[in-house]
Amino acid sequence: MSLLVWLAVALSLSSTIVAGGDCPGAHRNITMEAACREACGTATATAAAGEPMYQVCMRALGEDYRAGSVKEAYEFAYDAAWQAVASYGRTAGWAEYVLGNGTLTGDAKAAYGLVAGGSYREAEAAMGQVCHRVMDDCGLDLSDDYKTALRDVAACRDRLAKMPPSSLLTMVEKDYTSTMLAYLLGKLIGIK
Ligand SMILES: *[C@@H]1O[C@H](CO)[C@@H](O)[C@H](O)[C@H]1NC(C)=O
Ligand SMILES: *[C@@H]1O[C@H](CO)[C@@H](O)[C@H](O)[C@H]1NC(C)=O
């Protein structure tokens, strides 16, 4: 390998590492309101009939922070990811409880099974990764984890939406909104 090629490879590797670990914006101090405004812009929460995502964000972060709180931006991203993980656990627990009743059959049983196990377990693991690493990492690695969680929860939602309305569907729709909020706050700190 010529020196020039070697240098090019070495440089591209080092810039990948920098891009993976360097999170511009993650450690800037920002108010909760500014974080929600920047992250959500004019985005709309899909589950809650056109409610502005900003309000969803303020309500979610407001559970853990007082209005006007100033934190490093990654802390808001962490908080939203953690809330999503906690909510997946409650939703999966409900699906398991209903399954345990033994009255579900066919498609419904399979859809509840995805929430009680399969897809939701994967989403929980992916968002758990985000919680562990969001302070130090951003960029592409974590973006895959957010997208895995979004895809898994959306798959469950779409399946349940084909059946008669259920409280499980409402819970899963809310989880999708929470996951989207976590992702939007992640983008604030450089998640792709
Ligand atoms: C943000 O504020 C905290 C507490 O005042 C401080 O310790 C930290 O260094 C600040 N971060 C930045 C990037 O200015
Ligand atoms: C089990 O399912 C039946 C029929 O849907 C319902 O009436 C009953 O309340 C359920 N029991 C529990 C413990 O969820």
Side-chain angles (χ1 to χ4, degrees):
M1 200 188 287
S2 80
L3 180 61
L4 217 59
V5 170
W6 180 85
L7 251 180
V9 170
L11 278 175
S12 77
L13 282 180
S14 75
S15 73
T16 309
I17 289 161
V18 169
D22 182 38
C23 305
H27 295 284
R28 69 190 156 122
N29 281 312
I30 185 169
T31 63
M32 176 173 124
E33 289 76 5
C36 283
R37 213 162 31 240
E38 269 189 49
C40 302
T42 57
T44 299
T46 46
E51 184 184 23
M53 204 68 191
Y54 174 78
Q55 278 167 26
V56 174
C57 182
M58 288 295 291
R59 200 165 49 238
L61 296 184
E63 284 180 22
D64 295 309
Y65 299 107
R66 279 199 311 274
S69 291
V70 176
K71 297 280 163 198
E72 293 193 14
Y74 82 86
E75 294 184 65
F76 294 127
Y78 171 86
D79 193 65
W82 190 87
Q83 284 191 22
V85 172
S87 186
Y88 299 163
R90 287 190 296 271
T91 305
W94 174 249
E96 213 162 307
Y97 171 77
V98 176
L99 275 173
N101 194 350
T103 52
L104 294 178
T105 54
D107 280 354
K109 190 173 177 183
Y112 276 65
L114 275 183
V115 178
S119 295
Y120 253 61
R121 192 152 303 153
E122 188 180 73
E124 203 170 350
M127 219 26 123
Q129 276 295 318
V130 170
C131 289
H132 284 128
R133 293 172 42 204
V134 75
M135 183 177 159
D136 303 315
D137 290 321
C138 54
L140 292 173
D141 289 355
L142 281 185
S143 117
D144 284 348
D145 288 325
Y146 281 101
K147 283 173 187 158
T148 297
L150 278 168
R151 191 192 58 224
D152 286 337
V153 176
C156 291
R157 178 200 59 196
D158 294 347
R159 228 161 135 171
L160 289 165
K162 293 194 187 107
M163 294 174 218
S166 59
S167 41
L168 187 63
L169 174 60
T170 308
M171 292 173 89
V172 170
E173 282 176 337
K174 198 165 160 281
D175 286 345
Y176 187 79
T177 302
S178 304
T179 311
M180 184 53 82
L181 174 63
Y183 184 44
L184 290 172
L185 283 165
K187 280 172 168 288
L188 185 67
I189 63 168
I191 304 294
K192 298 291 179 285

